[in-house]
Amino acid sequence: MDVIRSSPVLQALLATLFTWFVTALGASVVFFFKEINRKVLDIMLGFAAGVMIAASFWSLLNPAIDMAERSGQIPWIPAAVGFMGGGIFLFLIDKVLPHLHNGFPIEEAEGVKTSWQRSVLLVLAITLHNIPEGLAVGVAFGALAVGLPEATLGGAIALAVGIGIQNFPEGAAVSVPLRREGFSRRKAFLYGQASGVVEPISGVIGALLVVSMHAILPYALSFAAGAMIFVVVEELIPESQREKNTDLATMGAMVGFTVMMLLDVALG
């Protein structure tokens, strides 16, 4: 236990393994259901969007601004530069990584053209979401090594729990459509949980970068926030409202925001 407490990188690994586990838990829904009611799915997508929006401010941007101010920097510069950098980074990945959103024909796959199967493209779409989520958790735990009062273990745990909660619908959003397309339950589950593998990887990378280069911490926190907001605005919100369940998706987002805010304030 002492080793875990003294190693933010190890803490980041364990936290992102937890978020991966919740993704797998969501993917396991396929063993019980062949499809998810679209209204329920839209509520869950809205909830995920709300969690990510709240986490972007309460767990990432706000601490980044406070840290920059405490270190004598102009507070808004790291926040603005990092935030836009994260959005541009995800924009570039979105244009390069082949992926397909649930419910769209394969002809509308995004990224570079490829002959990959529809199932792989669906998994990659959710994997794209998980890159900034893992990075955010890793940076939050890596920040503990700096010793600033804004970086707390409780706050990092709150972020990991919030990201974990919203990973449940993401796992289900991969495995259930694959089952509906004729995959066996076991294969659909394996594909669904595989979308979360990138979280421990990006989490450890984020923690290592912050631990080795303390000066980039406000930028790194803001970068993760920008990447998450890009995912929310570009994918989660449009997807949650595509079937016209606007009110349900919006209320899901409100609940998600509130849950993440409560977690961060209570634990952070």
Side-chain angles (χ1 to χ4, degrees):
M1 290 298 293
D2 289 338
V3 174
I4 295 176
R5 292 192 189 97
S6 63
S7 175
V9 175
L10 182 55
Q11 290 172 347
L13 174 61
L14 294 175
T16 46
L17 285 174
F18 163 75
T19 61
W20 179 17
F21 168 77
V22 181
T23 302
L25 202 61
S28 70
V29 166
V30 76
F31 290 111
F32 307 99
F33 304 98
K34 192 171 182 177
E35 61 180 65
I36 299 178
N37 181 280
R38 184 66 208 196
K39 291 182 178 180
V40 173
L41 179 60
D42 288 343
I43 291 172
M44 292 194 298
L45 289 171
F47 180 89
V51 168
M52 292 178 72
I53 292 170
S56 295
F57 177 74
W58 294 99
S59 300
L60 300 170
L61 276 176
N62 194 43
I65 292 170
D66 290 343
M67 289 175 188
E69 187 172 23
R70 182 180 292 274
S71 62
Q73 303 178 58
I74 299 174
W76 57 266
I77 290 181
V81 171
F83 185 83
M84 289 303 301
I88 292 170
F89 173 73
L90 256 290
F91 170 81
L92 294 175
I93 291 182
D94 187 67
K95 296 303 179 187
V96 173
L97 182 70
H99 62 284
L100 176 67
H101 299 297
N102 183 28
F104 284 80
I106 195 165
E107 293 78 17
E108 295 187 28
E110 300 179 30
V112 298
K113 298 300 180 183
T114 177
S115 60
W116 292 350
Q117 294 181 349
R118 177 183 177 87
S119 56
V120 175
L121 296 175
L122 286 169
V123 172
L124 288 176
I126 302 298
T127 301
L128 185 64
H129 297 181
N130 290 334
I131 293 173
E133 294 169 9
L135 184 64
V137 174
V139 168
F141 277 95
L144 300 176
V146 181
L148 295 174
E150 294 85 1
T152 66
L153 179 60
I157 291 174
L159 178 59
V161 171
I163 294 297
I165 291 172
Q166 64 89 45
N167 273 358
F168 186 90
E170 289 189 351
V174 177
S175 63
V176 174
L178 291 179
R179 173 61 178 160
R180 195 167 56 245
E181 292 185 13
F183 280 65
S184 68
R185 286 184 170 88
R186 179 175 177 276
K187 192 171 183 180
F189 167 75
L190 290 175
Y191 272 72
Q193 62 82 34
S195 65
V197 173
V198 71
E199 290 203 4
I201 298 171
S202 55
V204 169
I205 291 173
L208 284 172
L209 284 173
V210 171
V211 168
S212 59
M213 294 180 284
H214 293 178
I216 71 167
L217 180 54
Y219 292 91
L221 289 167
S222 303
F223 182 95
M228 290 212 294
I229 291 298
F230 180 90
V231 168
V232 169
V233 177
E234 203 270 342
E235 297 185 20
L236 287 181
I237 291 178
E239 176 69 14
S240 71
Q241 304 200 6
R242 190 164 60 89
E243 298 296 324
K244 309 302 181 183
N245 296 316
T246 304
D247 291 340
L248 293 175
T250 301
M251 290 309 300
M254 296 291 289
V255 173
F257 186 98
T258 302
V259 168
M260 186 65 235
M261 179 177 64
L262 291 175
L263 281 172
D264 194 270
V265 174
L267 297 178

